[in-house]
Amino acid sequence: MPADPLDRNLSGHVAIVTGAGSGIGRATAIAFAEAGAHVLGVGRREAPLNETAAAHDNIDVLAIDICGEGAPAKVVSTAVGRWGRLDHLINNAGATAVMPLAETNKQTIVDLLALNVVAPSLLAHEALPHLRRTSGSIINLSSTYGHRPMAGGAHYSATKAAVEQMTRSWALELAGEGVRVNSVAPGPTRTDVMLHAGLTPEAAEDMYAYERDRIPTHHIASADEVAYWILRMADPAGRHATGQVITVDGGLELI
Ligand SMILES: NC(=O)c1ccc[n+]([C@@H]2O[C@H](COP(=O)([O-])OP(=O)(O)OC[C@H]3O[C@@H](n4cnc5c(N)ncnc54)[C@H](OP(=O)(O)O)[C@@H]3O)[C@@H](O)[C@H]2O)c1
């Protein structure tokens, strides 16, 4: 569900959305643009980013690997150079991995940490001086499995637990300066994330069917339904909430 077009509460704001070429990141970039923000959408592949940019005039894109040397500084300086300020950093780019302990390998752990923990940390570090000026906000994407165990996905789950603890710790550290830090933790959401993790389309469908049975609302979220909450967490009218993890999973975390 895109933002209500009458709701222009982010007019004049500038947001960086990582992973904006697909899934939740694309829906978030569009929702922020519809709410009046200028958006820098970031990802590695240019073609999907350009499709996101085509959805709204307020979206510019930057094709870059956020794990690359110097990339976080380049992302932030591109947004600030283009629009002169930064109000919101949406640390959305992330990956999952199905990796039971018996199949654990070092490279997968290193890659998950680099994308899900190190890159968002360095982006937040680079963004901070600008967010201090605007009393801005950071929104980090976690997962239901950031606070629930995930059999066969321990390291993914661990990276999202790290995201949640960084969220709370940075929120406490920055509260006195007016910078808010929150997380949105989706449950299973229909995107290409499982294909990007190497599952076949059939295996991904099986997984969604299994999760749909378990989720109390028996609904797999769309990317727009998650973007709705990311946008709400950025709303300046909600400025008294910081250090929170809002779970958007149809009640999955409750079971
Ligand atoms: N879908 C779910 O069920 C679900 C559930 C819970 C949490 N989440 C979280 O929600 C977030 C978004 O997930 P999604 O489902 O929308 O996944 P997705 O469709 O796979 O999107 C991930 C995005 O991140 C970008 N990305 C990956 N590596 C990158 C890198 N090194 N540098 C820059 N960009 C990179 C990808 O674009 P390129 O490949 O072009 O770089 C892609 O657009 C993730 O943090 C994920 O963990 C998703």
Side-chain angles (χ1 to χ4, degrees):
M1 186 193 323
D4 181 341
L6 296 176
D7 183 0
R8 306 279 298 172
N9 58 342
L10 296 189
S11 225
H13 283 207
V14 174
I16 292 170
V17 179
T18 64
S22 64
I24 295 167
R26 173 177 287 174
T28 301
I30 294 169
F32 274 65
E34 289 181 344
H38 292 291
V39 178
L40 182 69
V42 178
R44 288 167 304 181
R45 292 165 300 147
E46 225 166 300
L49 285 175
N50 288 338
E51 281 179 38
T52 302
H56 201 289
D57 285 348
N58 279 12
I59 304 176
D60 276 10
V61 292
L62 174 66
I64 194 166
D65 180 344
I66 58 170
C67 300
E69 196 59 40
K74 168 94 174 144
V75 169
V76 171
S77 68
T78 300
V80 174
R82 172 82 175 75
W83 294 293
R85 60 186 284 158
L86 180 63
D87 301 83
H88 307 285
L89 169 66
I90 317 303
N91 272 322
N92 165 78
T96 189
V98 178
M99 189 172 68
L101 183 56
E103 293 160 28
T104 295
N105 71 83
K106 182 177 175 183
Q107 196 56 51
T108 305
I109 303 171
V110 168
D111 291 347
L112 279 175
L113 282 167
L115 180 59
N116 293 2
V117 179
V118 178
S121 302
L122 297 180
L123 279 160
H125 168 76
E126 294 293 340
L128 182 56
H130 305 285
L131 298 177
R132 281 180 167 137
R133 271 178 222 123
T134 56
S135 297
S137 81
I138 299 169
I139 299 171
N140 298 314
L141 267 286
S142 179
S143 161
T144 300
Y145 298 113
H147 48 272
R148 298 287 295 155
M150 183 179 182
H155 292 86
Y156 169 71
S157 182
T159 63
K160 294 303 190 181
V163 163
E164 294 188 5
Q165 282 298 51
M166 293 187 312
T167 295
R168 287 186 275 265
S169 300
W170 292 338
L172 189 56
E173 193 176 313
L174 302 174
E177 301 183 65
V179 177
R180 298 192 295 130
V181 189
N182 289 294
S183 272
V184 171
T189 305
R190 194 168 278 284
T191 69
D192 287 343
V193 72
M194 297 314 297
L195 305 182
H196 293 155
L199 266 66
T200 62
E202 296 71 29
E205 277 311 316
D206 287 350
M207 192 216 70
Y208 285 129
Y210 168 76
E211 296 281 20
R212 190 183 296 105
D213 276 351
R214 294 178 63 229
I215 294 170
T217 57
H218 299 301
H219 171 69
I220 300 290
S222 69
D224 289 339
E225 288 171 314
V226 178
Y228 175 90
W229 284 103
I230 298 172
L231 182 63
R232 286 296 166 272
M233 295 312 277
D235 187 342
R239 73 178 71 79
H240 204 45
T242 193
Q244 300 307 300
V245 177
I246 171 111
T247 305
V248 182
D249 70 353
L252 180 62
E253 73 167 7
L254 304 173
I255 60 174

